[in-house]
Amino acid sequence: MVFKRLLGSLGVGGPTVDTVLAPGAVLPGGTLSGQVHLKGGDADFTIEHITLELVARVEAEHDGESEGAVVFDRFTVGGGFRLAAGEAHSVPFSVMLPWETPVTELYGQPLGIVLGVRTELAVAGAKDKGDLDQLAVRPLPAQEAVLEALGQLGFGFKSADLELGRIGGTGQQLPFYQELELTPPPQYAHQVNEIEVTFLANPGHMEVVLEADKRGGLFPGGRDAVTRFTVSHHGVEQHDWHAEVDGWIRQLIEHRASHGTHGSYGHGEPHHGAHYGHGDPYAAHGRHVHKDEHGHGGHHGDGHRSGPGLGTAIAAGAAGLAVGVVGGMVAAEVVDEVGDFFEGDEDEEGGED
């Protein structure tokens, strides 16, 4: 989706900008490439800089549920040249996405996460956010393998969202994290309402944070169970993910059920990096972590709400979460939300110039 606008701060007759991303979804930590196409206005202008912003729709649960646009990275891709009246000029770019960039689709099916690439043009001392494009991100091989294993274990996709805040005891870099909410298979349905999965990747490894929303009195003290595991990006194809992930789920549920007094989300545990098992890069140690909402130390209660239009529960078949991960109705809603959400954000920012 491309939005073309006149450079609003210069009024009618200013240059126009149209950013076109290379087709296809990109990987977290991968290369995003494309072209920024400029068309000169009624007069000559000096283009001071062209900056790309990565923007996400993020939910905040502090002081009530709300949504807002968060810029999570910026890249200056050009500038310092004269654009003549009526001149067409293109600036190619190639930038690396943050490793924690949220996943927006699985096997080509949208998950309901709204990301955009916004182009800022600086001309004659004025700045204008003049173009916005939807960003599609597919999972890393290790992320895909974990989700596939969860699907084979009988978990179904429920929804996905981005939450403002940090998960203590992890190497999280961005100011928000992605949650994939899954419905449990029959063997766990009497113990948990849902499992929430968060991936925190970096160049060397990936942390997998699992949260089990409690059902009844399983987890003493009214807390949910949260545990993390660390895996490598290497050797994904050779690893038995079914057995590995099954062990994670059993540890998450059984450990918390039998040792509920430990369930304090790891208060007092220092921030640390990867912890691998001896001799096996996939033998991850389970760690208890704390989801710190905006630095206030909250946690998700039973009233946790997903984003609009994402409440459809999808059953996972033998082929995993890829089977019917979302319906066509949800896909259409996601496209509409991109335009409505970011266009509203642009209008609000444009009024401040």
Side-chain angles (χ1 to χ4, degrees):
M1 185 177 298
V2 176
F3 302 93
K4 299 180 181 179
R5 294 190 345 179
L6 292 174
L7 191 63
S9 54
L10 295 181
V12 176
T16 60
V17 58
D18 178 14
T19 299
V20 179
L21 304 180
V26 293
L27 289 169
T31 300
L32 174 67
S33 59
Q35 299 255 351
V36 178
H37 301 299
L38 302 175
K39 183 64 180 296
D42 294 343
D44 294 353
F45 289 94
T46 296
I47 306 299
E48 296 173 357
H49 70 73
I50 304 169
T51 300
L52 303 180
E53 294 182 336
L54 303 184
V55 189
R57 184 188 68 184
V58 178
E59 296 185 2
E61 294 188 344
H62 180 56
D63 295 331
E65 192 88 17
S66 63
E67 293 181 344
V70 174
V71 175
F72 62 98
D73 212 339
R74 289 172 57 91
F75 310 92
T76 297
V77 297
F81 61 90
R82 192 76 172 169
L83 184 67
E87 178 189 1
H89 184 79
S90 294
V91 178
F93 64 85
S94 182
V95 298
M96 180 175 290
L97 295 182
W99 279 88
E100 291 181 17
T101 299
V103 174
T104 67
E105 63 177 52
L106 179 61
Y107 293 96
Q109 298 298 310
L111 300 177
I113 298 299
V114 179
L115 300 181
V117 179
R118 187 164 55 192
T119 305
E120 179 184 271
L121 201 61
V123 179
K127 297 180 181 179
D128 189 84
K129 302 178 189 304
D131 189 38
L132 179 77
D133 298 87
Q134 184 177 357
L135 175 62
V137 182
R138 69 183 190 273
L140 293 163
Q143 294 172 333
E144 189 174 289
V146 170
L147 293 174
E148 182 71 14
L150 285 165
Q152 292 173 354
L153 290 168
F155 286 89
F157 179 83
K158 181 180 179 182
S159 66
D161 58 20
L162 304 180
E163 296 287 347
L164 189 64
R166 297 186 180 276
I167 304 177
T170 69
Q172 181 183 344
Q173 299 295 312
L174 296 184
F176 58 83
Y177 54 90
Q178 181 175 20
E179 286 185 337
L180 301 173
E181 300 179 358
L182 310 179
T183 57
Q187 64 266 34
Y188 297 127
H190 67 289
Q191 297 173 304
V192 295
N193 293 317
E194 66 183 24
I195 297 291
E196 296 176 349
V197 183
T198 295
F199 298 117
L200 299 174
N202 63 44
H205 60 268
M206 180 179 73
E207 294 176 274
V208 183
V209 180
L210 299 178
E211 177 176 4
D213 278 1
K214 63 182 177 62
R215 182 182 292 278
L218 178 62
F219 303 116
R223 299 184 182 275
D224 299 338
V226 184
T227 305
R228 79 170 179 92
F229 304 87
T230 303
V231 299
S232 172
H233 294 299
H234 306 292
V236 173
E237 298 81 5
Q238 290 76 39
H239 189 64
D240 185 354
W241 288 102
H242 186 281
E244 181 78 15
V245 175
D246 183 50
W248 293 352
I249 298 299
R250 292 178 183 276
Q251 179 175 338
L252 173 68
I253 294 177
E254 295 174 3
H255 177 81
R256 287 301 204 179
S258 58
H259 301 283
T261 55
H262 296 173
S264 60
Y265 294 103
H267 284 297
E269 182 186 17
H271 288 243
H272 47 74
H275 291 268
Y276 295 98
H278 296 292
D280 183 358
Y282 289 96
H285 295 287
R287 296 279 174 168
H288 309 316
V289 298
H290 173 51
K291 291 190 174 181
D292 182 10
E293 304 293 342
H294 326 292
H296 294 282
H299 66 84
H300 298 311
D302 293 334
H304 176 57
R305 183 185 66 81
S306 299
L310 305 181
T312 304
I314 305 299
L321 292 173
V323 178
V325 64
V326 289
M329 179 182 67
V330 176
E333 289 174 353
V334 170
V335 173
D336 290 339
E337 287 168 8
V338 173
D340 294 343
F341 183 78
F342 285 126
E343 278 187 309
D345 177 64
E346 281 192 300
D347 292 340
E348 179 179 328
E349 293 193 16
E352 295 175 356
D353 289 338

